[in-house]
């Protein structure tokens, strides 16, 4: 999440207020908020942590974003938000809030940017583990492996709709650009 906050700030460097959307029922919600506040202080921006744990909460979140005049939104890492990727993409465009999410599905659905672990890489690693188990290895003997591949996806069509110009250094680091 702090890296997504950094990318949002790079995208909208004039934004002095940035919001983060966190699920308050997530077991690490407090740690996530604390890490984001620390990153915001380093970046010199004011961060407002907003909460949503149901789809009904989204109306309140976007009304609050407008009141705060937030220059960008960082959506938290939480499985509940993954299921709302299309709805969140539509809301962020409708409310003209530059937003970064954790999964490619958000950018593919019309959201502005995503930055997070590669879903394909995670599935590939799960397949490798499954293959090793089917060949007779014991799950207890297998090492814990985390995906190390992260992807930055930028939707240029959405950037144009929001009146944003993506900085060239950011565009150059993108793993995929959706036109």
């Amino acid at each position: 999440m702090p890296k997504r906050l950094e990318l949002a700030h790079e995208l909208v460097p004039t934004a002095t207020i940035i919001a983060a959307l966190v699920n308050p029922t997530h077991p690490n919600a407090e740690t996530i908020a604390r890490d984001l506040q620390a990153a915001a202080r380093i970046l010199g921006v004011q961060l407002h942590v907003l909460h949503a744990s149901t789809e009904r909460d989204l109306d309140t979140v976007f009304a609050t974003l407008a009141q705060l005049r937030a220059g960008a939104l960082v959506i938290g890492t939480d499985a509940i938000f993954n299921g709302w990727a299309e709805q969140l993409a539509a809301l962020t465009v409708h409310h003209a809030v530059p937003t970064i999410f954790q999964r490619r599905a958000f950018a593919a659905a019309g959201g502005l940017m995503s930055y997070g672990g590669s879903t394909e890489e995670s599935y590939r690693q799960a397949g490798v583990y499954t293959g090793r188990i089917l060949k007779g290895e014991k799950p207890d003997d297998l090492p814990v492996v985390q995906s190390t591949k992260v992807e930055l996806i930028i939707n240029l069509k959405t950037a144009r709709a929001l009146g944003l110009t993506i900085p060239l250094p950011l565009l150059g680091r993108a793993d995929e650009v959706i036109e």
Side-chain angles (χ1 to χ4, degrees):
M1 289 265 318
K3 181 63 176 180
R4 284 198 291 276
L5 177 63
E6 181 184 321
L7 290 168
H9 184 258
E10 185 176 348
L11 177 66
V12 190
T14 58
T16 58
I17 299 171
I18 297 178
L21 178 59
V22 175
N23 177 359
T25 65
H26 189 282
N28 295 324
E30 288 181 29
T31 303
I32 291 168
R34 198 171 37 251
D35 291 348
L36 282 170
Q37 289 292 357
R41 280 191 296 279
I42 291 168
L43 294 171
V45 297
Q46 185 180 7
L47 180 76
H48 290 273
V49 178
L50 307 178
H51 296 106
S53 57
T54 69
E55 283 186 78
R56 291 185 311 275
D57 296 336
L58 294 179
D59 289 335
T60 303
V61 165
F62 281 90
T64 304
L65 280 171
Q67 290 173 345
L68 293 171
R69 298 183 191 265
L73 173 65
V74 178
I75 297 178
T77 302
D78 193 300
I80 197 167
F81 297 143
N82 293 343
W84 304 342
E86 289 184 19
Q87 182 180 5
L88 285 166
L91 285 167
T92 60
V93 172
H94 175 76
H95 291 276
V97 180
T99 303
I100 185 165
F101 193 74
Q102 67 178 337
R103 296 276 181 237
R104 182 191 183 284
F106 175 77
L112 180 60
M113 285 193 326
S114 67
Y115 179 81
S118 168
T119 303
E120 291 175 3
E121 177 67 12
S122 296
Y123 288 155
R124 187 192 69 73
Q125 286 186 1
V128 169
Y129 259 52
T130 302
R132 290 177 70 177
I133 292 167
L134 290 173
K135 289 179 182 175
E137 291 187 55
K138 294 180 182 176
D140 290 346
D141 295 338
L142 295 175
V144 174
V145 178
Q146 289 184 327
S147 178
T148 57
K149 183 178 180 184
V150 292
E151 300 174 319
L152 173 62
I153 314 296
I154 298 173
N155 188 320
L156 283 182
K157 181 179 177 184
T158 301
R160 283 190 293 274
L162 295 174
L164 293 172
T165 301
I166 306 294
L168 287 178
L170 185 60
L171 199 56
R173 290 194 315 270
D175 294 284
E176 181 180 352
V177 176
I178 299 171
E179 303 254 3

